[in-house]
Structures are given as C-alpha cells and as structure tokens.
Amino acid sequence: MESLIPPESDLMEGKTVLILGGGWGGLTVAHHLRGLLPSEHRIVVFERRDSFSLYVSYLWLMTGERDNPEQIERRMETLKREGIEVLHGEVQEFDPAARSVVTDAGEMSGDYVVIALGAELAPGSVPGFDDGAHNLYEAAGAARLQAALRAFDGGRIVVLVAGAPFRCPAAPYEAAMLIESSIRAGGIRDRTELSLYTPEAQPMAVAGQAVGDALEAMLEERGIGYFPQRAITRVDAGSGAIYFGDEAVPYDLLVGIPPHRAPSVVTDCGLTDATGYVPVHPQTLEILSDVDTLETGYPDVFAIGDVTSVRLLNSMLLPKAGVFAEGQAQVVAAAIAADIANQPKPRGFDGAGFCYVEVGEGMAAYGSGDFFAFPGPRVTLEMPTSKSRQAKEEYEQLLDTWFDAR
Ligand SMILES: Cc1cc2nc3c(=O)[nH]c(=O)nc-3n(C[C@H](O)[C@H](O)[C@H](O)COP(=O)(O)OP(=O)(O)OC[C@H]3O[C@@H](n4cnc5c(N)ncnc54)[C@H](O)[C@@H]3O)c2cc1C
C-alpha cells in the first residue's frame, strides 16, 4: 500500500492533523484549524464525495426553492487554496491506537485525528424502501421529490421516518409542513391527505414535552395526520403501501427518511458502543472507553458530529444536528491548536444548540436551549416568523465562506 506521507525533507517540524470526513463538522474543524495553525502544520481531510453540500438545502430542493443539486454543491478541490489538503477516497480502515488510516488511495498516520464521518443512510435495511420512497435525505432523491410534487394532483402523501436516531430531528416535521403549504398553494389541499409516521414517541423528543406538544399542535392545525411509535417493516411499491407489521397504510407519494447507522469503518475498529455510535466525552469530544466514568480511550483522537453518541443528564442522546457538529468542531480545533502550542486546554463544548423549524409560507420557528442542563435539556420554541426563516438561509453562507472566498 502506498504511503501518503511526503518525504522527510518536506515535512519540517510540523504536526499532521487527519480529519476523517469532510462534511459540516469535518470542514469546520479544517477551517478553524487552518486559521489557528501556522502553515507548517498539515491539515488533511479524507472524504469520499468530491463535492460538498449542506443537507439543510435538501428541503429547498424538495420545494423547488433550489433548482437542482448542482446549485447547492461546491467542489472539494477548491479547499487546496485555503491550505487544506483533501484526499478524495474511501476511508477503509482506522487504527485509533496508531492514529493511522487506510484509504483506497494509500495509508497515512497523524499526530491528531478527528473522526467526523457522520451517520450513514441505510435505506436497504427496509425492504422495498428504495423502490417505493423518494429519499429526502439525498440530494438526488430530494430533486426527484421536487418533480414528483410538481406532478402530484391529489391523493395520499405519507412522510415516513424509517428509523431513529436520524439527522436533524426537526427535518421530517418541516418536510410535512412545507409539503402542506405547497399543496395548499397549488390548489390541491382539499383532495390530498397528508400524514407522518415515525418510530419516535413525540416530535423532537429530546427537546422536551412542551416542544413536542407545540410541534404536534402545528401538525394538527395544518390537518397533517401524526402517527408516532410506528416501526416500519416494509414498503410495497407495487401496491403502494407501507407496512407496520400487519397494518398496511396506502400511499400515492412516499417521502422517506431512511434508517441511519454509523459508517462501518468505525464499527469495524471497535469504536462504537450499544448506541451504535462512537461514545465521546460531552465537553472534550475525546473517545470514551467507559461512558459511566468518562474515562477516555485514545490520546489525541476525537470524534464529533453525527458519528458520535453524547449521553445527556437525562440519559437521552444529543440529537444529530449540524449546529452541534459545528460547535464541537470549534472546540476540538481549539484544543488541538492549544496542544500544539503548549498552551492550556481551552473551554469544552457547552451543549448549546438551536434550530429553525420551517412551517411553510416563508416562516420558521426558532428553537434554542441548553442540552447539557440538569435534569435534562432546557429548550424553548418561539412562534414562527419570517425573520427566523431568513436566518436559516444564512447557513448556506458557509458555501461562500469555505469555497468561494478569494
Ligand atoms: C434535510 C436535512 C435538514 C437538516 N437541517 C439542519 C438544520 O437546519 N440545522 C442543523 O443543525 N442540522 C441540520 N441537519 C443535520 C446536519 O446536516 C447534520 O447533523 C450534519 O451534517 C452532521 O455533520 P457531520 O460532519 O457529523 O456529518 P456529515 O455532514 O454527514 O459529514 C460526514 C462526511 O463523512 C463522509 N464519509 C463517511 N464515511 C466515509 C468514509 N468511509 N470514507 C470517506 N468519507 C466518508 C461523508 O461523505 C460525509 O461527507 C439537516 C439534515 C438533513 C438531512
């Protein structure tokens, strides 16, 4: 296997930071570190995709507010200009003790490693999902959904959450409300039945009862049927029905959120626990060898974002959201830079999070809170406003900041 480490003479005194995964979390680490570290230190991102997009924009692909996937994608190779190396390819193996990775392009070890591989979609784990559902969680699926909604002329639309946990606890609810708004605008609301099926006990359960009740009320106001605690067993594309055991629910248009799981590379190297994801220290993001005592396992190896499980004080898990991946990424970048500079450890991650729940008609409800509060997250949800909807669009400014800045 070819080594990806440059010749000794090119290395100078610099350290090498390997970032596995160039999504929202991984690229935040890379950009923050590049701002903090002198250029002799290498920052290397391993990423299988050759372009980056924010999943947030997929909802706007679905509604037609973004025309096509190309509009929201940026080429990873442009990061070279910023002094961030991107190695395009699949991370196949990772050895956390040696801090070494094997990819289809070669192998490499580093002084620090940040695992930011996200959660993987597993549509194939539900029989029939691929044939019957439009996958909202992929750019191509969201774009196909845009065309399907445009052609839709009434009938039954089902939004299906096929497994939990999943990225962005609000997204399926936003999808349902955005679809409701668009079919009402299209004049077919009176001949369309819209419902949402999920294995969750309530919407955004980790945010608490009051937020869940508020979201259920929003669905009810819009006449969207809500069916919690439903575990999908199969989709039958031929007859147009989803099955929860023996219960069959017919559909004409199925909007699917597939089950998620940790990428196999982290499972294969033994980093996941019973949650299925990589347990990390809530503040430092170091990988835990014991979740109860918070004993950490591997020096200078961190994990952030959707690939992790962070146990909260009420024993629930921190939701999979970009704002958390980003906040954790900033903490890890600062910790690595401080360690290299022999400076004291900076502050840890504080569990603060927020989101904008889109409700249609250009409005979003702002939710925010302290997810590390005792005895459990303290989260509030404000009334929907057009200002919050505009604020949500600012996420996409990351595309300019990271890729288009000169
Ligand atoms: C429709 C939708 C709307 C959302 N809206 C919001 C929102 O409004 N606010 C919010 O905070 N969050 C939102 N999210 C969630 C947010 O996008 C994710 O939580 C966030 O992207 C997680 O970042 P991450 O870096 O952990 O993982 P990702 O962004 O998924 O990045 C992981 C990267 O690792 C790469 N990778 C994985 N395995 C390998 C491998 N073996 N080799 C090489 N590369 C690999 C992947 O290709 C990917 O690029 C939304 C998600 C969806 C689907």
Side-chain angles (χ1 to χ4, degrees):
M1 178 75 60
E2 188 198 337
S3 170
L4 295 167
I5 300 186
E8 197 85 352
S9 56
D10 294 349
L11 266 180
M12 302 173 60
E13 290 302 302
K15 300 280 187 193
T16 299
V17 183
L18 307 184
I19 301 170
L20 314 188
W24 194 334
L27 291 190
T28 304
V29 177
H31 279 91
H32 269 258
L33 264 181
R34 194 65 289 165
L36 294 168
L37 290 180
S39 60
E40 69 264 26
H41 303 293
R42 292 180 79 193
I43 298 168
V44 187
V45 176
F46 295 84
E47 171 57 50
R48 62 155 74 108
R49 299 190 298 177
D50 56 10
S51 66
F52 172 87
S53 58
L54 282 166
Y55 306 141
V56 177
S57 315
Y58 295 1
L59 286 173
W60 304 327
L61 266 184
M62 175 190 81
T63 57
E65 286 161 276
R66 302 292 176 272
D67 295 332
N68 51 51
E70 292 72 46
Q71 195 185 352
I72 55 164
E73 281 169 359
R74 296 293 181 277
R75 307 288 304 168
M76 296 289 284
E77 69 212 17
T78 62
L79 295 175
K80 256 189 277 174
R81 286 197 311 245
E82 316 288 324
I84 296 166
E85 296 170 53
V86 179
L87 293 179
H88 178 225
E90 186 74 17
V91 176
Q92 293 165 335
E93 289 170 36
F94 174 57
D95 178 343
R99 293 190 295 272
S100 63
V101 287
V102 176
T103 77
D104 44 15
E107 59 181 66
M108 190 170 190
S109 54
D111 299 291
Y112 302 87
V113 177
V114 184
I115 305 171
L117 292 166
E120 202 163 81
L121 302 179
S125 62
V126 176
F129 185 100
D130 275 329
D131 294 331
H134 293 279
N135 184 346
L136 172 66
Y137 274 33
E138 277 180 358
R144 280 195 292 272
L145 196 48
Q146 182 190 126
L149 282 168
R150 204 169 280 146
F152 191 75
D153 193 32
R156 292 188 199 90
I157 302 180
V158 172
V159 178
L160 169 70
V161 179
F166 52 91
R167 295 171 188 149
C168 191
Y173 299 93
E174 296 179 275
M177 290 189 276
L178 287 169
I179 291 170
E180 198 278 333
S181 169
S182 98
I183 56 179
R184 197 150 25 84
I188 54 167
R189 182 64 183 105
D190 56 347
R191 50 179 194 272
T192 303
E193 192 183 300
L194 179 57
S195 48
L196 192 156
Y197 287 78
T198 179
E200 304 160 282
Q202 65 165 87
M204 294 172 71
V206 71
Q209 191 69 47
V211 171
D213 289 348
L215 273 166
E216 276 194 53
M218 287 177 185
L219 297 177
E220 201 179 326
E221 267 167 35
R222 290 162 177 77
I224 301 169
Y226 182 54
F227 301 90
Q229 294 182 303
R230 295 294 215 285
I232 186 77
T233 43
R234 69 188 173 94
V235 175
D236 185 350
S239 63
I242 52 177
Y243 284 83
F244 303 94
D246 291 336
E247 183 194 5
V249 175
Y251 69 82
D252 298 302
L253 179 60
L254 183 60
V255 181
I257 288 99
H260 292 41
R261 63 181 174 216
S264 55
V265 62
V266 290
T267 316
D268 292 349
C269 66
L271 288 182
T272 51
D273 68 2
T275 64
Y277 292 89
V278 181
V280 289
H281 188 290
Q283 280 90 23
T284 67
L285 290 316
E286 292 164 286
I287 294 169
L288 295 177
S289 52
D290 187 323
V291 184
D292 295 318
T293 62
L294 295 185
E295 196 176 317
T296 56
Y298 301 98
D300 302 323
V301 180
F302 304 84
I304 60 163
D306 290 359
V307 75
T308 67
S309 63
V310 176
R311 198 163 74 180
L312 304 175
L313 293 176
N314 63 358
S315 293
M316 292 175 103
L317 299 178
L318 189 71
K320 300 201 178 300
V323 290
F324 294 125
E326 184 173 318
Q328 294 168 337
Q330 291 167 358
V331 163
V332 166
I336 293 173
D339 197 57
I340 290 175
N342 271 323
Q343 283 173 0
K345 263 194 168 92
R347 278 185 53 224
F349 182 57
D350 62 4
F354 65 91
C355 71
Y356 302 99
V357 182
E358 281 196 71
V359 300
E361 278 146 42
M363 310 271 272
Y366 177 67
S368 64
D370 175 4
F371 284 76
F372 289 173
F374 178 80
R378 257 195 304 272
V379 183
T380 54
L381 188 68
E382 296 175 6
M383 293 300 288
T385 63
S386 56
K387 205 168 147 218
S388 290
R389 172 59 173 70
Q390 277 161 18
K392 184 172 184 180
E393 289 209 52
E394 286 168 16
Y395 283 133
E396 282 184 338
Q397 287 178 3
L398 274 182
L399 299 178
D400 302 332
T401 316
W402 285 350
F403 297 93
D404 299 338
R406 303 262 150 195

